[in-house]
Amino acid sequence: MEIKEIKIEDLQPERFIKQQVKEVFSVVGDGLAVNALSGGVDSSAVTIIGHKALGKRLKTYFIENGLMRQGEAERVCLLFKELGVLVEIIDAKKEFFAALKGLSDPEEKREAITQTFYKNVFGRLVRESGAKYLLQGTNYTDVEETVAGVKRQHNILEQLGIDTQAEFGYKVIEPIIQLRKSGVRSLAKALGLPEELYNRPPFPGPALAARVIGEVTPQRIATVRAATKIVEEQLCNSGAFQYLAILHQDRVTGVRKGKRDFGLQIEIRCWESKDALVGTPTRLPYELLEKLAERITQDVPGVVSVTYNITKKPPSTIEAV
Ligand code: XMP
């Protein structure tokens, strides 16, 4: 791996920002660039760097892929509007669900999302806008995990031998590729992003599809989205690195109103970690776990079983897919 990591102790955020703004400006020249904002800390930091460098010559999009958390598109757009950045929402739900139809293999699902995102949606946006560059928030851990063969992070292209110019018709610029999450957080803070953004727990590129085992359908996403909302509400003050809900493929026998109910299973994970490379499950209070099980089985239609993962990473990974 040729990219040189900048460790958090060596990072001088103000200096780094100046360098990256200059770099983006010099690469794009007087041309146009586009970027996708998901509302996570990585893409948020890159959006601000890009706007500092290019102003209106950077078009920022929120890709509504149908796989995001509840209310996310509106929330993110409003937040950036307050920061003076206009974000256009692109409705690509149908395209993503069509690409995911019938797939249950994790890497095939990731590949389908990558292709839909880069080739179909961004290929089109780039052609329509006349942009030649895509700015994105790939970080050092994304590259490392993909190169090591742990998981194909959806934003990794060049390191897998993909020539974006030839395959998708644009070049990719990755201003934060030398930083890990902790570095990106301190950068985001220095860029003036609000704490709810720079301290936000990580969220995967493939979004809730990374938390659905088996086929990803609108209905299965709705189930995991509803469970996610409850998990985030209950665990947002836990101080954990990341917390999530996973929808299993297998059904289990449950009982409701005295009748057999062959229902769905939700698995909860909550992680202590510094950089997501290794992780330990949080020792959550039992009462909190009980509360989670109670709320999820009451409020998420079809769920009859809730479990808590107590496996470390490795051998587990943070996400299920
Ligand atoms: P895993 O599941 O590999 O996750 O242990 C490590 C960290 O990365 C996040 N994650 C992703 N982030 N694109 C991303 O930008 C992805 O494709 C992706 N997959 C996993 C995950 O949430 C965790 O913080």
Side-chain angles (χ1 to χ4, degrees):
M1 199 162 128
E2 283 168 31
I3 302 150
K4 197 172 174 312
E5 178 186 358
I6 300 176
K7 294 217 157 67
I8 179 87
E9 54 274 22
D10 299 326
L11 175 67
Q12 295 174 269
E14 302 296 345
R15 203 166 146 224
F16 185 87
I17 293 166
K18 272 200 192 117
Q19 281 169 351
Q20 292 306 323
V21 168
K22 207 170 143 198
E23 175 71 14
V24 171
F25 184 78
S26 79
V27 173
V28 179
D30 57 6
L32 300 174
V34 293
N35 83 311
L37 172 66
S38 69
V41 63
D42 300 345
S43 67
S44 296
V46 165
T47 299
I48 301 293
I49 290 177
H51 277 269
K52 277 183 188 290
L54 305 171
K56 288 212 164 76
R57 289 187 293 119
L58 174 67
K59 280 279 284 168
T60 297
Y61 300 101
F62 183 100
I63 309 301
E64 179 47 275
N65 52 18
L67 312 170
M68 299 308 241
R69 285 169 289 185
Q70 195 174 312
E72 196 68 1
E74 298 72 26
R75 212 182 68 82
V76 172
C77 292
L78 189 65
L79 226 149
F80 274 81
K81 196 173 169 199
E82 283 163 9
L83 295 167
V85 175
L86 278 186
V87 182
E88 190 180 331
I89 300 176
I90 304 293
D91 183 356
K93 294 195 278 289
K94 279 193 186 135
E95 269 170 286
F96 278 89
F97 282 119
L100 286 161
K101 199 170 165 51
L103 302 182
S104 56
D105 176 79
E107 295 292 301
E108 282 179 17
K109 287 177 356 189
R110 284 178 168 261
E111 175 65 12
I113 291 171
T114 299
Q115 288 297 329
T116 308
F117 185 86
Y118 289 100
K119 196 170 191 161
N120 304 13
V121 177
F122 263 97
R124 189 167 62 237
L125 288 173
V126 160
R127 277 194 304 280
E128 285 170 7
S129 68
K132 295 207 167 44
Y133 297 92
L134 169 71
L135 251 74
Q136 72 169 6
T138 317
N139 69 35
Y140 195 78
T141 311
D142 296 338
V143 179
E144 206 173 45
E145 291 223 317
T146 303
V147 172
V150 176
K151 217 173 255 196
R152 182 195 200 294
Q153 304 286 314
H154 106 295
N155 51 4
I156 299 297
L157 302 161
E158 195 188 313
Q159 291 76 16
L160 290 173
I162 297 170
D163 177 348
T164 59
Q165 182 66 59
E167 288 199 31
F168 310 134
Y170 52 81
K171 288 211 168 81
V172 174
I173 306 174
E174 299 170 307
I176 59 166
I177 201 160
Q178 291 171 281
L179 306 180
R180 292 198 191 265
K181 205 61 138 194
S182 48
V184 184
R185 290 197 197 287
S186 93
L187 179 72
K189 188 174 179 188
L191 283 164
L193 287 164
E195 185 172 0
E196 62 169 300
L197 268 182
Y198 71 73
N199 260 342
R200 218 172 174 200
F203 188 69
L208 295 173
R211 300 173 180 178
V212 168
I213 303 176
E215 191 181 2
V216 177
T217 62
Q219 194 186 3
R220 303 195 77 219
I221 287 289
T223 301
V224 86
R225 182 181 287 130
T228 300
K229 184 164 186 283
I230 295 171
V231 168
E232 292 192 348
E233 278 169 13
Q234 292 292 145
L235 299 184
C236 64
N237 295 321
S238 64
F241 174 81
Q242 199 169 349
Y243 29 85
L244 49 130
I246 293 159
L247 173 62
H248 279 239
Q249 191 167 20
D250 286 346
R251 287 179 175 257
V252 287
T253 298
V255 56
R256 274 191 199 279
K257 294 184 186 150
K259 283 225 164 87
R260 177 186 138 95
D261 183 2
F262 195 47
L264 305 170
Q265 301 189 69
I266 289 286
E267 174 189 329
I268 297 167
R269 295 184 184 182
C270 181
W271 295 101
E272 300 303 311
S273 178
K274 273 209 178 72
D275 51 19
L277 271 184
V278 294
T280 308
T282 309
R283 294 195 171 202
L284 291 173
Y286 209 88
E287 295 70 32
L288 189 50
L289 290 170
E290 281 179 335
K291 182 81 194 157
L292 280 163
E294 201 178 288
R295 284 194 63 192
I296 292 172
T297 48
Q298 248 166 38
D299 297 346
V300 186
V303 177
V304 296
S305 167
V306 175
T307 56
Y308 185 58
N309 186 312
I310 49 166
T311 317
K312 289 182 181 173
K313 173 180 177 177
S316 178
T317 55
I318 304 264
E319 309 287 345
V321 167

